Amino acid sequence: MTTLSQFLYLSQVRGDKPFETIAVVVAEARQLNAEQSITGVLVFDGAQVCQYVEGEAGKIDALIERLRVDPRHEQLKVLHHAPLQGERRFARWRLGYLMLDDGRDLTRFDALVGEGAIASFLEQLPLVDLEP
């Protein structure tokens, strides 16, 4: 049986065109995630990203290493990284996407870690773009 892992992080988007940057990131991630059997959700507030991914432990670890060196963002903060108990939360989503455009932002996640961070993240998801 394959060991599944989950990873939640917060980071700051670099550059002067964050919306264009995130559009590219989402498109690339959806393709790579499909190839790697990684699923998850990305939330963007116009400046910061909070992303949850799940998949085989080795593939999640490789993704984390790519994220750490990706020049499109900075200040990557790990909020939660642990084995996933039970089934995937987002088995049908290569990458769901939610743009917070109602005045909410992701700064509150900076103080969260562990299961509390996961619970707060999941509360953001009622309006996720489930991809075409």
Side-chain angles (χ1 to χ4, degrees):
M1 184 173 180
T2 303
T3 301
L4 295 178
S5 182
Q6 58 184 333
F7 178 63
L8 178 68
Y9 73 91
L10 180 69
S11 70
Q12 182 77 29
V13 178
R14 290 179 124 176
D16 59 350
K17 296 182 180 179
F19 294 95
E20 291 87 346
T21 298
I22 290 304
V24 171
V25 166
V26 169
E28 289 176 358
R30 284 178 172 166
Q31 180 177 343
L32 181 63
N33 287 0
E35 294 167 5
Q36 298 294 314
S37 296
I38 293 173
T39 55
V41 179
L42 184 142
V43 178
F44 177 55
D45 70 1
Q48 290 183 300
V49 167
C50 191
Q51 183 177 18
Y52 171 89
V53 291
E54 57 196 11
E56 293 179 23
K59 292 179 180 180
I60 294 298
D61 291 343
L63 174 61
I64 292 168
E65 291 310 310
R66 287 191 304 275
L67 289 169
R68 289 188 192 283
V69 298
D70 190 326
R72 297 174 292 191
H73 68 140
E74 60 190 354
Q75 300 173 21
L76 186 142
K77 179 179 180 183
V78 176
L79 303 177
H80 186 67
H81 183 204
L84 178 61
Q85 305 300 321
E87 300 292 318
R88 291 178 188 243
R89 287 183 170 99
F90 305 107
R92 296 177 44 219
W93 300 358
R94 291 175 292 160
L95 185 67
Y97 173 67
L98 173 63
M99 170 66 196
L100 297 179
D101 58 2
D102 59 0
R104 295 180 293 162
D105 64 36
L106 296 169
T107 56
R108 68 188 170 286
F109 285 95
D110 196 41
L112 299 173
V113 293
E115 291 295 331
I118 296 286
S120 291
F121 182 79
L122 294 175
E123 291 173 3
Q124 304 300 310
L125 303 183
L127 302 174
V128 173
D129 168 8
L130 299 179
E131 67 194 83

